[in-house]
Amino acid sequence: MCAACEGVRREEYELKNENNTVPDQNEDSGFAALGISGVLLKATEQAGLTEPKPIQIAAIPPHLAARDVLGVAQTGSGKTAAFALPILSKIIGLGSRRKPRTARALVLAPTRELAVQIEETFRLLSKGAHVSTALVLGGVSRNTQVKRLQPGVDVLVATPGRLMDLVRERDVDLSETTWLVLDEADRMLDMGFLPDVRRIAKATHPARQTAMFSATMPTEIEELARTLLRDPVRVEAAPQGTTAGEISQSIVLARLKQKRKLLSDMLANPAMSRVIVFARTKHGADRVTRDLGRDGHEAAVIHGNKSQNARQKALNGFRDGTVRILVATDIAARGIDIDGITHIINYDLPNEPESYVHRIGRTARAGADGVALSFCGHDELAYLKDIEKTTRQKIAIDGDHPFHAERIATDHANGKTPPPPRQGGRPQRPQRSGKPSGAGRPGGGQRNGRSRSGAGRARAMA
Ligand code: AMP
């Protein structure tokens, strides 16, 4: 058990079975039975939430009982409603008198897209209940956000950077914030947001209730939980680091030069009706999009260098089906909730193994099946090794594929991992010793290709 969870009082919320997962739903498990306010039940049902998901069964009762919650859950598990419904249930009884520039509840999310999605969920679930919400994000007008906050709001959803700016300028006052949610905490760590997150948490009400959700629990997140949560109840939707079961995964071991043709040929398959192609870098994503256009496949692209409007436009086109292919960096690996994605293609393998799990989790949603296809060049074998170690499974190699490179397969089978690509995406020149730099770890001795102290670089990549 994590340090953060020491002393968790389990007797009240003994919801896990012996497999250490939350229980299956049963006939008594409607949202009303979990204690959700009657005012919200109609909107909840209209939003398509009829039977609570396991994470909701596990997290809602302790949350309503004012306990802090530490959730190990990914997007797709239903975690947003798991924190939104209890917060809304409590807010509804409070009336509309709010102090100017304050927020009763604050949800922090790592990316703008996820923040937009969370705020939409709050609005959807509280339809007709007169709950005010606001969004604070970078990349869009700050004045509009400040104006929206002026009368005070019930729920504020924000990305940490812009919110910290508003806190500094005293455009928002968090001292009345008694509910705090940190969503996708591990992603906030990767993006270098933890110092801001800590400052923001400090500015909230000292007697606040906190919920933290994270797909993985690296040491830094355990430490954050230990300092920000009080005696949390730990709930888990799926074992850490494992991938969803309904996704068929395979890998083509192909030479770097062949990847463009490989992708283009693959996309000729009409079964690929909604596809995300993941590239490792912003520059790489742009290049793949350009090449696809030249090869007759129109694609939209989304990454951290794009303006918020361009990102939203690309996502909207992909969501409404006008664009079949979305090329993305890991900024889109988590949080994006779009149904009907048939295929995930990892044009480049991610340098962080957890990202692989998040990327492929964009497919096989809402009970549908999904396919995840990855391309692995010779220089990416170290990444593949890390992914297989983290997911505790071997990914099937498509040895019959016309682009299959036997030399890469042989090196993979013999555990020979050449130096991985540099952050810029080009392979490093092999070292004389033939050994990978940095004790065999992708990224030359840094954990997963980047130093934790320079975590802002992960932000720069996406
Ligand atoms: P999330 O993990 O919060 O991003 O949720 C993933 C998807 O699951 C969203 O499209 C939700 O609308 C949907 N969802 C959440 N809870 C339920 C539920 N109880 N029943 C059906 N769908 C749900």
Side-chain angles (χ1 to χ4, degrees):
M1 185 185 296
C2 70
C5 310
E6 274 168 19
V8 167
R9 293 197 311 269
R10 287 190 176 276
E11 64 279 13
E12 279 173 86
Y13 308 107
E14 194 52 77
L15 292 155
K16 291 182 177 179
N17 56 28
E18 65 248 21
N19 297 326
N20 206 33
T21 56
V22 287
D24 288 337
Q25 301 158 20
N26 60 51
E27 62 271 19
D28 299 329
S29 61
F31 284 101
L34 293 180
I36 294 305
S37 162
V39 183
L40 301 170
L41 293 177
K42 196 168 159 214
T44 301
E45 198 176 330
Q46 277 173 354
L49 281 61
T50 43
E51 282 306 310
K53 292 200 174 198
I55 188 77
Q56 294 157 356
I57 298 173
I60 290 174
H63 206 294
L64 283 171
R67 293 286 305 275
D68 282 1
V69 171
L70 179 59
V72 185
Q74 307 178 12
T75 295
S77 59
K79 66 182 164 59
T80 315
F83 60 76
L85 284 171
I87 289 176
L88 287 168
S89 290
K90 300 231 169 172
I91 281 178
I92 274 165
L94 298 178
S96 58
R97 279 169 67 98
R98 294 172 296 256
K99 283 193 186 167
R101 294 177 291 112
T102 60
R104 283 172 165 154
L106 168 65
V107 182
L108 287 179
T111 63
R112 302 168 201 169
E113 284 74 16
L114 180 59
V116 168
Q117 214 165 270
I118 293 170
E119 198 247 358
E120 268 170 16
T121 303
F122 268 95
R123 274 194 286 125
L124 205 65
L125 297 178
S126 63
K127 206 168 161 198
H130 306 290
V131 171
S132 61
T133 62
L135 258 177
V136 162
L137 328 158
V140 282
S141 158
R142 178 196 154 102
N143 287 349
T144 320
Q145 296 171 358
V146 171
K147 236 190 238 166
R148 176 94 185 109
L149 290 169
Q150 189 51 42
V153 294
D154 290 316
V155 180
L156 169 60
V157 184
T159 51
R162 172 63 66 88
L163 181 62
M164 201 53 227
D165 288 348
L166 298 197
V167 169
R168 263 192 221 108
E169 302 289 322
R170 299 187 195 283
D171 285 320
V172 62
D173 169 8
L174 298 178
S175 64
E176 301 280 317
T177 302
T178 47
W179 291 282
L180 174 67
V181 179
L182 310 178
D183 199 13
E184 304 210 341
D186 50 351
R187 185 74 177 141
M188 293 208 260
L189 162 75
D190 287 344
M191 295 176 81
F193 282 142
L194 284 208
D196 279 349
V197 169
R198 286 183 195 278
R199 280 184 212 114
I200 290 166
K202 215 167 162 193
T204 61
H205 196 285
R208 63 158 199 271
Q209 184 186 350
T210 312
M212 186 163 117
F213 289 84
S214 195
T216 54
M217 281 289 159
T219 326
E220 295 92 330
I221 295 302
E222 299 263 2
E223 169 62 18
L224 185 73
R226 208 179 51 73
T227 51
L228 296 187
L229 306 185
R230 262 177 297 234
D231 187 18
V233 173
R234 183 175 173 125
V235 297
E236 209 162 316
Q240 224 175 309
T242 54
T243 53
E246 327 82 331
I247 306 171
S248 131
Q249 301 172 56
S250 64
I251 193 153
V252 181
L253 301 174
R255 286 169 51 223
L256 208 63
K257 279 188 180 157
Q258 304 269 28
K259 281 190 179 182
R260 174 176 171 178
K261 177 92 172 69
L262 172 57
L263 178 65
S264 186
D265 286 3
M266 232 174 218
L267 287 169
N269 178 356
M272 295 197 170
S273 57
R274 192 169 281 179
V275 189
I276 304 186
V277 178
F278 281 104
R280 203 162 37 238
T281 65
K282 295 180 271 202
H283 177 69
D286 282 334
R287 198 190 53 237
V288 169
T289 311
R290 256 194 327 269
D291 289 347
L292 280 176
R294 285 177 189 142
D295 295 341
H297 301 289
E298 204 203 321
V301 63
I302 178 169
H303 58 62
N305 268 6
K306 296 279 174 192
S307 71
Q308 182 55 22
N309 280 346
R311 284 158 63 164
Q312 209 56 53
K313 194 170 160 226
L315 268 186
N316 290 346
F318 187 59
R319 198 189 297 270
D320 68 24
T322 37
V323 177
R324 180 173 73 110
I325 305 160
L326 181 70
V327 181
T329 56
D330 280 314
I331 203 158
R334 302 187 203 190
I336 303 306
D337 174 32
I338 297 179
D339 285 341
I341 295 171
T342 56
H343 291 74
I344 297 298
I345 300 179
N346 290 310
Y347 189 89
D348 302 310
L349 284 182
N351 55 326
E352 295 171 13
E354 294 87 357
S355 288
Y356 176 82
V357 180
H358 295 299
R359 286 179 178 190
I360 71 166
R362 299 308 94 214
T363 183
R365 294 169 75 79
D369 286 339
V371 180
L373 302 160
S374 303
F375 305 169
C376 176
H378 195 240
D379 55 308
E380 292 172 295
L381 283 175
Y383 296 154
L384 177 58
K385 201 169 153 189
D386 262 12
I387 290 165
E388 292 188 328
K389 200 168 144 202
T390 302
T391 58
R392 299 189 288 274
Q393 62 185 34
K394 289 264 172 216
I395 307 174
I397 294 169
D398 186 352
D400 295 329
H401 197 282
F403 289 92
H404 173 74
E406 197 48 47
R407 185 171 82 90
I408 304 179
T410 309
D411 278 358
H412 182 50
N414 295 334
K416 261 194 186 173
T417 51
R422 286 185 319 203
Q423 303 288 28
R426 290 208 194 90
Q428 285 175 2
R429 204 178 291 163
Q431 299 193 332
R432 265 166 198 274
S433 67
K435 276 191 191 155
S437 61
R441 270 218 160 272
Q446 298 162 351
R447 187 181 178 269
N448 297 329
R450 61 181 173 26
S451 108
R452 281 289 183 204
S453 59
R457 257 197 299 150
R459 190 167 8 178
M461 282 180 75

